[in-house]
C-alpha cells in the first residue's frame, strides 16, 4: 500500500534562518506518526507545509497523493489540522465554533456528527458556553471535534495537549486511538515522552533536519539527551518557618459556583511549592488572588505580609510573575524587554544596564541581546521570561505553567534556574502539568473541585497513596473529581 504522506527533500528558510533542510520521510495509512524534537527544530513549519498553509523553498510533499503546492484544495478537503497556538474562536460558543468550521469545509454539523460523536458528546451539554470559558481539556475536545467535523482522512496535531493536565492528556490520546481504529492517519507533535510511546513510528527533528526515524523506544533511546536527561539532584537551600504565603478558608465564588472552595495552606519563605490541579480545579483562580489580580469572596490571605483583599497593589509590586500565555513582548528585542520590565519595577537605568549584562552572560545569551524575541526558540524565551520575572529580586515568584510545550532537556535547564533562585532565598510558587517537575518541589498541594485534596512532600504523597510516582498520585486524585469541568 502506498504512503499517505510523502516528504521528499523539503527545505524552508526565513531569511538567514533555516527552519527545514532536506527533510524526507513517509507516513503509512492508519499510522499514529510522531514528530518530535527540541524547540525550534522545524516541527511547526513542517505541519504548516503539509497543511498547505506555507510553501516550501525546495523539495516536495504529497498528502493522500496530492501535491501540497499544486493541489492545495484537494488536500484541504482531506485533512484536519489542530495548530499549537490557535484553533478556536474564544468569543464564540462551543456550537458556533463547530458550525463555523463545518461551514469552512462545505459541510454541516449534522452531516459530520457521526465523525465527531464520540468526542463531541462529552462537551455537547456545554454547547452554549463560550470557548474561552472552557477548561483546557474541554477546549482540546472541542478543537479536535472542529478538526474532524468534515471527516478527514489525515489529522495533523501540533502539540495538542500543551497546557492540559495529565488526566485530560490521557483521555485525548485514548480518543486518538479510537480514530486510528477508524482508519484515520494521525501525525502528532508532542514534548511528552508517554505520548511519544503511543506513536507507531517517530521522526526526530533537530536543527531543521531529520536525525532519525524509527520506533518510539528506538528514538527515545538514541536521543536520550533531549528526552531523558539526568534528573536534577535535590538541593539544600535556605528555608525558614517564616511564612511567605498564608491562606485561611479562602473562597472565590462566581454566582453559585465556587471556583475556590475554602482552602487553607502556608508556604514558607525560600520554599519551592508546587500548586497542582486538573484543568478547572480552581488553581488558576487561586493564583490570581494571590498575585493581586483578583479578590476573594471570603476567607483571608497574605502574601509577603500584604493582605490579598486590601493590599493587592502592594502585592503586585513585590512579587515576580510568569505566565505561560504572556511574559514577554515578542516584537521587542531581548534587551528592550529587560529594560522595559526593569522600568516597570522602578529600577534605576544604571542598575538595569549593569544587571542586564550579568543576566545575559549567566543565560549565555549575549549574542541575542539585540534579537527580536519572537525569533528565538521557545526554550530560550522561557528562560529569559523567568529571569525577567525575578530581575527586580522579589521575595516570591509565581510561575503559571512556565514550561508548557518545552522539551524535557530544556525544561531541566529551566528548573536549574529555579533551583539557583531558590538557593538565593527566592520563594517559588509554581503550577505545572508535568509530573516529573512536581518531583522537584519541596512540597505539593493538589486541588480537586476547588478544594485542596492532598498536601505534602512528593515522597509523603507517593507513600500515602501507594503510587510509584507523582503521575500516579495526581491521576488517582483527579479522577475522583465530581465537577463537570
Amino acid at each position: 500500500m502506498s504512503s499517505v504522506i510523502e516528504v521528499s527533500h523539503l527545505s524552508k528558510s526565513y531569511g538567514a534562518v533555516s527552519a527545514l533542510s532536506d527533510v524526507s520521510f513517509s507516513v503509512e495509512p492508519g499510522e499514529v506518526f510522531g514528530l518530535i524534537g527540541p524547540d525550534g527544530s522545524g516541527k511547526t513549519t513542517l505541519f504548516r507545509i503539509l497543511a498547505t498553509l506555507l510553501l516550501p523553498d525546495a523539495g516536495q510533499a504529497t498528502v493522500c497523493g496530492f501535491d501540497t503546492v499544486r493541489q492545495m484544495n484537494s488536500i484541504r478537503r482531506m485533512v484536519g489540522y489542530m495548530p499549537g497556538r490557535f484553533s478556536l474562536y474564544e468569543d464564540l460558543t462551543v456550537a458556533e465554533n463547530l458550525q463555523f468550521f463545518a461551514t469552512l469545509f462545505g459541510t454541516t454539523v449534522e452531516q459530520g456528527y457521526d465523525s465527531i460523536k464520540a468526542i463531541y458528546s462529552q462537551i455537547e451539554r456545554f454547547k452554549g458556553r463560550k470557548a474561552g470559558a472552557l477548561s483546557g481539556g474541554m477546549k482540546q475536545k472541542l478543537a479536535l471535534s472542529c478538526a474532524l467535523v468534515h471527516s478527514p482522512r489525515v489529522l495533523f496535531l501540533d502539540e495538542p495537549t500543551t497546557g492540559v493536565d495529565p488526566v485530560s492528556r490521557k483521555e485525548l490520546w485514548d480518543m486518538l486511538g479510537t480514530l486510528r481504529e477508524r482508519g484515520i492517519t494521525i501525525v502528532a507533535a508532542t514534548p511528552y515522552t508517554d505520548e511519544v510511546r503511543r506513536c507507531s513510528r517517530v521522526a526526530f527533528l533537530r536543527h531543521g533536519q531529520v536525525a532519525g526515524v524509527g520506533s518510539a523506544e528506538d528514538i527515545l533511546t538514541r536521543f536520550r539527551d533531549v528526552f531523558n536527561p539526568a534528573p536534577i539532584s535535590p538541593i539544600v537551600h535556605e528555608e525558614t518557618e517564616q511564612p511567605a504565603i498564608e491562606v485561611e478558608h479562602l473562597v472565590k465564588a462566581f454566582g453559585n459556583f465556587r471556583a475556590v472552595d475554602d482552602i487553607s495552606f502556608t508556604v514558607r519563605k525560600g520554599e519551592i511549592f508546587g500548586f497542582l490541579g486538573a484543568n478547572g480545579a480552581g488553581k488558576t483562580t487561586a493564583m490570581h488572588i494571590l498575585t493581586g489580580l483578583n479578590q476573594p469572596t471570603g476567607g483571608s490571605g497574605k502574601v509577603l505580609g500584604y493582605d490579598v483583599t486590601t493590599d493587592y497593589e502592594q502585592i503586585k509590586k513585590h512579587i515576580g510573575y510568569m505566565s505561560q500565555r504572556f511574559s514577554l513582548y515578542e516584537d521587542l528585542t531581548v534587551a528592550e524587554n529587560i529594560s522595559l520590565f526593569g522600568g516597570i519595577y522602578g529600577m534605576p537605568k544604571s542598575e538595569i544596564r549593569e544587571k542586564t549584562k550579568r543576566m545575559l552572560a549567566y543565560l549565555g545569551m549575549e549574542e541575542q541581546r539585540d534579537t527580536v524575541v519572537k525569533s528565538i526558540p521557545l526554550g530560550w524565551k522561557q528562560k529569559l521570561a523567568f529571569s525577567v520575572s525575578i530581575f527586580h529580586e522579589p521575595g516570591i515568584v509565581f510561575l503559571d505553567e512556565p514550561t508548557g510545550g518545552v522539551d524535557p532537556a530544556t525544561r531541566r535547564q529551566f528548573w536549574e534556574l529555579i533551583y539557583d533562585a531558590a538557593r538565593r532565598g527566592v520563594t517559588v510558587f509554581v503550577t505545572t502539568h508535568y509530573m516529573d517537575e512536581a518531583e522537584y518541589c519541596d512540597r505539593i498541594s493538589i486541588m480537586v473541585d476547588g478544594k485542596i485534596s492532598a498536601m505534602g512532600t512528593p515522597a509523603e504523597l507517593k507513600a500515602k497513596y501507594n503510587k510509584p510516582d507523582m503521575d500516579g498520585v495526581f491521576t488517582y486524585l483527579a479522577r475522583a473529581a465530581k465537577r463537570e469541568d
Side-chain angles (χ1 to χ4, degrees), residues 329-334 336-337 368-376 381:
Y329 287 91
E330 300 235 319
D331 290 332
L332 298 182
T333 66
V334 169
E336 287 170 342
N337 266 280
Q368 285 73 38
R369 177 189 178 91
D370 298 317
T371 302
V372 176
V373 163
K374 66 182 174 185
S375 66
I376 64 176
K381 289 180 188 176

Side-chain angles (χ1 to χ4, degrees), residues 145-160:
S145 297
C146 291
L148 291 169
V149 70
H150 61 298
S151 304
R153 288 175 53 189
V154 178
L155 187 59
F156 295 123
L157 307 173
D158 190 359
E159 298 192 358

Side-chain angles (χ1 to χ4, degrees), residues 125-154:
R125 60 188 176 278
F126 303 109
K127 63 183 180 181
R129 184 178 297 183
K130 287 188 177 182
L134 299 175
S135 68
M138 291 175 68
K139 283 181 181 176
Q140 298 305 80
K141 291 172 185 176
L142 175 57
L144 189 55
S145 297
C146 291
L148 291 169
V149 70
H150 61 298
S151 304
R153 288 175 53 189
V154 178

